[in-house]
Amino acid sequence: MRRFWDARQLAHAPALELHNGGFVPFAEAPARAEAILAAIGPTEPAADHKEAPLRAVHAEDYLAFLWSAHKDWRAAGRAGDASGYAWPVVRRRPLALDRIDARLGAYSFDASSPIGAGTWDGAYWSAQTALSALDAVLAGERSAFALCRPPGHHAGADYLGGYCYLNNAAIAAEAAVAAGKRRVAILDIDYHHGNGTQDIFYARGDVLFVSIHADPRMDYPYYWGHADETGEGPGAGATLNLPLPRGTDLGTYLPALDAALAKIADFAPEQLVVCYGADTFADDPISHFRLRTDDYAEIGRRIAALALPALIVMEGGYAVDALGANVATFLSGF
Ligand code: Q9C
Ligand code: ZN
């Protein structure tokens, strides 16, 4: 399987995040990518597709904000990484405020996604890596892996959150549609619900979103990912959420995976995008499932049995010591 990665993604390296009421080292660290690279062998760099495919998913004003947020933060006299601390509850009024703190709040939904000097570049090249791996599949590869970090699935059309700034999988899915794929299925198997991806395609009938994740009544992102969220308008029925309890092991996981795969097969997509998160691993420091390294081989095999052209996009996974083996095992099973 061809594997894509771009060293410019390392530019994104915030120092700290707010976690359980205190500041701790940022979990979505460049060391994650280094660990995966050491396990999967040589990679190909990203080709620059420029901003048009980003604009096909993200709002112009959001991209402008993300591009300048850290500069604006410094211009306001601040040190360190930019982070919001005030949020507009349910977007009561669409105010066009200039203050950097107000804009950080308006374009984010949590305080665990700081913006550093290299965040735009890192996120930009992460998205380009997804697009480059998609190119390989569009050119006839059965599958390709995009080592994206920062990850993307929590980022919506006009908001960041959950370590995510640009939605790599959504950008690639939209690019696949633009390339002529009439139906695209996204299977998200990160521990956390992919709220950004769900939002982006919620009213779309041509992009199916299926996610297996920790029950949002217990785990982040809380406000999305419940089983009764099934899509709207032309997208009614094209969202499927399969929340699972904390403590889920392979025996509990596989029936949900089979249900997800049945839904996808029924949709008859022309392209599959797999959002792979290794934070379902038993020893993940911020998550609560009990999958083991070997389990990812079986999960990869079952997804591959769909026999669809597949782009695999990296999402979360924070047990850095086991991350390389978890990713390599998933890819080899696939
Ligand atoms: N105290 C991904 O796996 N932080 N994002 C939660 C809990 C957000 C995870 C903080 C976790 C986001 C791509
Ligand atoms: Zn996650």
Side-chain angles (χ1 to χ4, degrees):
M1 187 187 302
R2 287 173 67 184
R3 305 168 292 278
F4 290 81
W5 152 257
D6 197 289
R8 286 167 281 192
Q9 293 167 235
L10 295 173
H12 172 64
L16 300 169
E17 66 174 297
L18 184 62
H19 176 71
N20 295 345
F23 280 92
V24 301
F26 188 60
E28 202 286 285
R32 295 181 60 245
E34 308 283 12
I36 296 168
L37 286 168
I40 64 171
T43 55
E44 303 172 52
D48 193 354
H49 301 68
K50 309 291 183 180
E51 286 187 31
L54 279 50
R55 285 200 206 98
V57 163
H58 292 286
E60 197 71 44
D61 58 325
Y62 173 68
L63 292 172
F65 157 78
L66 187 59
W67 186 82
S68 72
H70 190 259
K71 282 184 274 292
D72 296 345
W73 176 259
R74 290 298 168 98
R78 308 287 173 64
D81 304 315
S83 191
Y85 69 94
W87 284 271
V89 178
V90 296
R91 300 174 184 230
R92 261 185 200 121
R93 298 178 63 198
L95 295 166
L97 298 172
D98 286 337
R99 180 78 174 166
I100 180 61
D101 306 275
R103 293 166 65 228
L104 283 162
Y107 290 115
S108 63
F109 72 94
D110 71 14
S112 61
S113 313
I115 301 172
T119 295
W120 170 266
D121 280 348
Y124 180 89
W125 287 105
S126 192
Q128 298 298 338
T129 289
L131 288 164
S132 300
L134 174 69
D135 285 345
V137 179
L138 294 177
E141 293 288 321
R142 184 180 155 256
S143 60
F145 175 60
L147 204 189
C148 294
R149 75 77 43 194
H153 75 154
H154 295 302
D158 64 352
Y159 63 81
L160 59 87
Y163 313 149
C164 302
Y165 305 84
L166 297 175
N167 194 313
N168 309 307
I171 289 166
E174 189 67 61
V177 171
K181 301 289 187 175
R182 284 171 298 180
R183 285 175 310 285
V184 176
I186 301 173
L187 173 62
D188 189 324
I189 56 169
D190 185 275
Y191 178 82
H192 306 95
H193 178 250
N195 59 287
T197 317
Q198 172 174 300
D199 266 1
I200 287 164
F201 296 115
Y202 205 59
R204 290 270 293 269
D206 57 341
V207 180
L208 173 70
F209 177 73
V210 178
S211 181
I212 305 168
H213 50 269
D215 190 332
R217 287 177 297 182
M218 285 298 290
D219 277 286
Y220 183 94
Y222 305 114
Y223 314 110
W224 301 262
H226 301 268
D228 63 350
E229 298 161 19
T230 57
E232 66 185 14
T239 291
L240 175 63
N241 285 310
L242 299 165
L244 295 173
R246 287 187 171 194
T248 285
D249 61 8
L250 190 67
T252 307
Y253 196 87
L254 287 179
L257 180 62
D258 289 343
L261 297 175
K263 174 80 175 177
I264 291 168
D266 197 48
F267 184 71
E270 297 181 345
Q271 174 70 47
L272 176 67
V273 177
V274 180
C275 291
Y276 173 67
D279 43 9
T280 49
F281 181 57
D283 299 331
D284 192 88
I286 66 169
S287 309
H288 307 275
F289 280 178
R290 293 196 192 130
L291 298 184
R292 314 296 330 188
T293 299
D294 287 347
D295 296 341
Y296 294 119
E298 179 60 19
I299 292 169
R301 270 193 292 277
R302 290 196 187 202
I303 298 170
L306 284 171
L308 291 167
L311 166 66
I312 301 170
V313 173
M314 193 68 210
E315 297 287 354
Y318 309 98
V320 176
D321 291 347
L323 185 56
N326 288 341
V327 174
T329 302
F330 177 73
L331 296 181
S332 63
F334 193 97

Short mmCIF file of all heavy atoms in Angstrom, two decimals, residues 235-271:
data_model
loop_
_atom_site.label_atom_id
_atom_site.label_comp_id
_atom_site.label_asym_id
_atom_site.label_seq_id
_atom_site.Cartn_x
_atom_site.Cartn_y
_atom_site.Cartn_z
N GLY A 235 -29.91 14.24 2.99
CA GLY A 235 -28.99 13.35 3.71
C GLY A 235 -29.69 12.47 4.75
O GLY A 235 -29.02 11.75 5.51
N ALA A 236 -31.03 12.51 4.80
CA ALA A 236 -31.75 11.68 5.78
C ALA A 236 -31.40 10.22 5.55
O ALA A 236 -31.51 9.71 4.44
CB ALA A 236 -33.26 11.91 5.64
N GLY A 237 -30.93 9.56 6.60
CA GLY A 237 -30.54 8.15 6.50
C GLY A 237 -29.10 7.94 6.07
O GLY A 237 -28.62 6.80 6.07
N ALA A 238 -28.39 9.02 5.72
CA ALA A 238 -27.00 8.89 5.25
C ALA A 238 -25.98 9.21 6.35
O ALA A 238 -24.82 9.51 6.06
CB ALA A 238 -26.76 9.75 4.01
N THR A 239 -26.44 9.19 7.60
CA THR A 239 -25.54 9.24 8.76
C THR A 239 -25.92 8.07 9.66
O THR A 239 -27.11 7.84 9.91
CB THR A 239 -25.71 10.56 9.54
OG1 THR A 239 -25.21 11.64 8.74
CG2 THR A 239 -24.97 10.53 10.88
N LEU A 240 -24.93 7.31 10.09
CA LEU A 240 -25.18 6.20 11.03
C LEU A 240 -24.17 6.28 12.16
O LEU A 240 -22.96 6.18 11.93
CB LEU A 240 -25.06 4.85 10.32
CG LEU A 240 -25.19 3.62 11.25
CD1 LEU A 240 -26.56 3.54 11.91
CD2 LEU A 240 -24.88 2.32 10.49
N ASN A 241 -24.67 6.48 13.39
CA ASN A 241 -23.81 6.49 14.57
C ASN A 241 -24.01 5.23 15.38
O ASN A 241 -25.14 4.87 15.72
CB ASN A 241 -24.13 7.73 15.43
CG ASN A 241 -23.56 8.98 14.82
OD1 ASN A 241 -22.38 9.02 14.45
ND2 ASN A 241 -24.39 10.00 14.68
N LEU A 242 -22.89 4.57 15.71
CA LEU A 242 -22.92 3.34 16.50
C LEU A 242 -22.10 3.55 17.76
O LEU A 242 -20.92 3.15 17.83
CB LEU A 242 -22.37 2.19 15.66
CG LEU A 242 -23.17 1.89 14.37
CD1 LEU A 242 -22.37 0.99 13.42
CD2 LEU A 242 -24.51 1.24 14.70
N PRO A 243 -22.69 4.22 18.77
CA PRO A 243 -21.94 4.46 20.02
C PRO A 243 -21.80 3.17 20.82
O PRO A 243 -22.71 2.35 20.87
CB PRO A 243 -22.80 5.49 20.76
CG PRO A 243 -24.16 5.41 20.16
CD PRO A 243 -24.01 4.84 18.77
N LEU A 244 -20.63 3.00 21.44
CA LEU A 244 -20.34 1.81 22.25
C LEU A 244 -19.89 2.24 23.64
O LEU A 244 -19.34 3.33 23.83
CB LEU A 244 -19.24 0.98 21.58
CG LEU A 244 -19.60 0.35 20.22
CD1 LEU A 244 -18.37 -0.30 19.58
CD2 LEU A 244 -20.72 -0.66 20.38
N PRO A 245 -20.12 1.35 24.62
CA PRO A 245 -19.77 1.72 26.00
C PRO A 245 -18.27 1.70 26.26
O PRO A 245 -17.51 1.02 25.56
CB PRO A 245 -20.47 0.64 26.84
CG PRO A 245 -20.63 -0.52 25.94
CD PRO A 245 -20.79 0.04 24.54
N ARG A 246 -17.86 2.43 27.29
CA ARG A 246 -16.49 2.30 27.79
C ARG A 246 -16.24 0.83 28.11
O ARG A 246 -17.16 0.12 28.51
CB ARG A 246 -16.30 3.14 29.05
CG ARG A 246 -16.24 4.63 28.76
CD ARG A 246 -15.87 5.41 30.01
NE ARG A 246 -15.60 6.81 29.69
CZ ARG A 246 -15.00 7.66 30.52
NH1 ARG A 246 -14.62 7.26 31.71
NH2 ARG A 246 -14.79 8.91 30.15
N GLY A 247 -15.00 0.39 27.92
CA GLY A 247 -14.66 -1.00 28.20
C GLY A 247 -14.84 -1.93 27.01
O GLY A 247 -14.54 -3.12 27.09
N THR A 248 -15.33 -1.38 25.87
CA THR A 248 -15.56 -2.21 24.68
C THR A 248 -14.27 -2.93 24.26
O THR A 248 -13.22 -2.32 24.11
CB THR A 248 -16.06 -1.30 23.52
OG1 THR A 248 -17.43 -0.97 23.78
CG2 THR A 248 -15.96 -2.00 22.17
N ASP A 249 -14.39 -4.27 24.10
CA ASP A 249 -13.28 -5.07 23.58
C ASP A 249 -13.67 -5.59 22.19
O ASP A 249 -14.73 -5.24 21.67
CB ASP A 249 -12.92 -6.21 24.53
CG ASP A 249 -14.08 -7.17 24.73
OD1 ASP A 249 -15.12 -7.05 24.03
OD2 ASP A 249 -13.96 -8.06 25.60
N LEU A 250 -12.83 -6.43 21.60
CA LEU A 250 -13.08 -6.87 20.22
C LEU A 250 -14.42 -7.57 20.09
O LEU A 250 -15.12 -7.39 19.09
CB LEU A 250 -11.94 -7.76 19.72
CG LEU A 250 -12.00 -8.07 18.22
CD1 LEU A 250 -11.75 -6.81 17.39
CD2 LEU A 250 -11.02 -9.16 17.84
N GLY A 251 -14.80 -8.35 21.10
CA GLY A 251 -16.06 -9.07 21.04
C GLY A 251 -17.27 -8.16 20.95
O GLY A 251 -18.27 -8.47 20.31
N THR A 252 -17.19 -7.02 21.60
CA THR A 252 -18.27 -6.03 21.54
C THR A 252 -18.15 -5.19 20.26
O THR A 252 -19.15 -4.73 19.70
CB THR A 252 -18.21 -5.10 22.77
OG1 THR A 252 -18.19 -5.91 23.95
CG2 THR A 252 -19.38 -4.14 22.83
N TYR A 253 -16.90 -5.00 19.84
CA TYR A 253 -16.65 -4.09 18.71
C TYR A 253 -17.09 -4.69 17.37
O TYR A 253 -17.68 -4.00 16.54
CB TYR A 253 -15.15 -3.75 18.66
CG TYR A 253 -14.82 -2.55 17.80
CD1 TYR A 253 -14.86 -1.26 18.34
CD2 TYR A 253 -14.49 -2.70 16.46
CE1 TYR A 253 -14.58 -0.16 17.56
CE2 TYR A 253 -14.21 -1.59 15.67
CZ TYR A 253 -14.26 -0.33 16.24
OH TYR A 253 -13.98 0.77 15.47
N LEU A 254 -16.80 -5.98 17.16
CA LEU A 254 -17.01 -6.56 15.82
C LEU A 254 -18.46 -6.55 15.35
O LEU A 254 -18.71 -6.28 14.17
CB LEU A 254 -16.42 -7.99 15.77
CG LEU A 254 -14.88 -8.03 15.75
CD1 LEU A 254 -14.39 -9.48 15.73
CD2 LEU A 254 -14.30 -7.25 14.57
N PRO A 255 -19.45 -6.80 16.21
CA PRO A 255 -20.83 -6.69 15.72
C PRO A 255 -21.17 -5.28 15.23
O PRO A 255 -21.88 -5.12 14.22
CB PRO A 255 -21.68 -7.08 16.93
CG PRO A 255 -20.78 -7.94 17.77
CD PRO A 255 -19.40 -7.37 17.58
N ALA A 256 -20.65 -4.27 15.92
CA ALA A 256 -20.88 -2.89 15.47
C ALA A 256 -20.18 -2.66 14.13
O ALA A 256 -20.73 -2.03 13.21
CB ALA A 256 -20.37 -1.89 16.51
N LEU A 257 -18.95 -3.18 14.02
CA LEU A 257 -18.22 -3.03 12.75
C LEU A 257 -18.99 -3.70 11.61
O LEU A 257 -19.13 -3.13 10.52
CB LEU A 257 -16.81 -3.61 12.88
CG LEU A 257 -15.94 -3.51 11.61
CD1 LEU A 257 -15.70 -2.05 11.22
CD2 LEU A 257 -14.61 -4.24 11.82
N ASP A 258 -19.50 -4.90 11.85
CA ASP A 258 -20.25 -5.59 10.80
C ASP A 258 -21.51 -4.82 10.42
O ASP A 258 -21.89 -4.78 9.23
CB ASP A 258 -20.59 -7.01 11.25
CG ASP A 258 -19.35 -7.91 11.30
OD1 ASP A 258 -18.32 -7.54 10.69
OD2 ASP A 258 -19.41 -8.98 11.95
N ALA A 259 -22.17 -4.20 11.40
CA ALA A 259 -23.36 -3.38 11.10
C ALA A 259 -22.95 -2.17 10.25
O ALA A 259 -23.65 -1.79 9.30
CB ALA A 259 -24.03 -2.93 12.39
N ALA A 260 -21.81 -1.56 10.60
CA ALA A 260 -21.31 -0.42 9.82
C ALA A 260 -21.00 -0.84 8.39
O ALA A 260 -21.37 -0.15 7.43
CB ALA A 260 -20.06 0.15 10.49
N LEU A 261 -20.36 -1.99 8.25
CA LEU A 261 -19.97 -2.45 6.91
C LEU A 261 -21.19 -2.83 6.07
O LEU A 261 -21.22 -2.59 4.86
CB LEU A 261 -19.00 -3.64 7.04
CG LEU A 261 -17.67 -3.31 7.74
CD1 LEU A 261 -16.84 -4.58 7.92
CD2 LEU A 261 -16.89 -2.25 6.97
N ALA A 262 -22.21 -3.37 6.73
CA ALA A 262 -23.45 -3.71 6.01
C ALA A 262 -24.12 -2.44 5.48
O ALA A 262 -24.62 -2.41 4.34
CB ALA A 262 -24.40 -4.48 6.92
N LYS A 263 -24.13 -1.40 6.31
CA LYS A 263 -24.72 -0.12 5.88
C LYS A 263 -23.97 0.44 4.67
O LYS A 263 -24.56 0.94 3.71
CB LYS A 263 -24.66 0.87 7.06
CG LYS A 263 -25.11 2.28 6.74
CD LYS A 263 -26.62 2.43 6.73
CE LYS A 263 -27.03 3.89 6.54
NZ LYS A 263 -28.49 4.03 6.46
N ILE A 264 -22.64 0.34 4.73
CA ILE A 264 -21.81 0.86 3.63
C ILE A 264 -22.04 0.04 2.36
O ILE A 264 -22.22 0.59 1.28
CB ILE A 264 -20.32 0.86 4.05
CG1 ILE A 264 -20.11 1.92 5.14
CG2 ILE A 264 -19.42 1.13 2.85
CD1 ILE A 264 -18.75 1.83 5.83
N ALA A 265 -22.06 -1.28 2.50
CA ALA A 265 -22.27 -2.14 1.32
C ALA A 265 -23.62 -1.83 0.67
O ALA A 265 -23.75 -1.76 -0.56
CB ALA A 265 -22.20 -3.61 1.73
N ASP A 266 -24.63 -1.58 1.50
CA ASP A 266 -25.96 -1.26 1.03
C ASP A 266 -26.00 0.04 0.24
O ASP A 266 -26.75 0.20 -0.71
CB ASP A 266 -26.88 -1.17 2.26
CG ASP A 266 -28.33 -1.25 1.89
OD1 ASP A 266 -28.68 -2.16 1.11
OD2 ASP A 266 -29.11 -0.39 2.35
N PHE A 267 -25.14 0.98 0.64
CA PHE A 267 -25.05 2.30 -0.01
C PHE A 267 -24.37 2.20 -1.38
O PHE A 267 -24.51 3.09 -2.22
CB PHE A 267 -24.26 3.23 0.94
CG PHE A 267 -24.14 4.66 0.50
CD1 PHE A 267 -25.23 5.52 0.53
CD2 PHE A 267 -22.91 5.17 0.09
CE1 PHE A 267 -25.10 6.86 0.15
CE2 PHE A 267 -22.77 6.50 -0.28
CZ PHE A 267 -23.87 7.35 -0.26
N ALA A 268 -23.61 1.14 -1.60
CA ALA A 268 -22.89 0.90 -2.86
C ALA A 268 -22.02 2.08 -3.28
O ALA A 268 -22.18 2.63 -4.37
CB ALA A 268 -23.87 0.52 -3.97
N PRO A 269 -21.08 2.47 -2.42
CA PRO A 269 -20.23 3.62 -2.75
C PRO A 269 -19.22 3.29 -3.84
O PRO A 269 -18.88 2.12 -4.05
CB PRO A 269 -19.51 3.92 -1.42
CG PRO A 269 -19.47 2.61 -0.72
CD PRO A 269 -20.72 1.87 -1.13
N GLU A 270 -18.74 4.34 -4.49
CA GLU A 270 -17.67 4.17 -5.48
C GLU A 270 -16.31 4.48 -4.87
O GLU A 270 -15.28 4.26 -5.50
CB GLU A 270 -17.95 5.07 -6.69
CG GLU A 270 -19.25 4.67 -7.40
CD GLU A 270 -19.56 5.52 -8.62
OE1 GLU A 270 -18.96 6.60 -8.79
OE2 GLU A 270 -20.44 5.09 -9.41
N GLN A 271 -16.32 5.04 -3.67
CA GLN A 271 -15.07 5.37 -2.96
C GLN A 271 -15.33 5.24 -1.46
O GLN A 271 -16.38 5.65 -0.97
CB GLN A 271 -14.64 6.80 -3.29
CG GLN A 271 -13.44 7.32 -2.50
CD GLN A 271 -12.15 6.63 -2.92
OE1 GLN A 271 -11.85 6.49 -4.10
NE2 GLN A 271 -11.39 6.17 -1.94
#
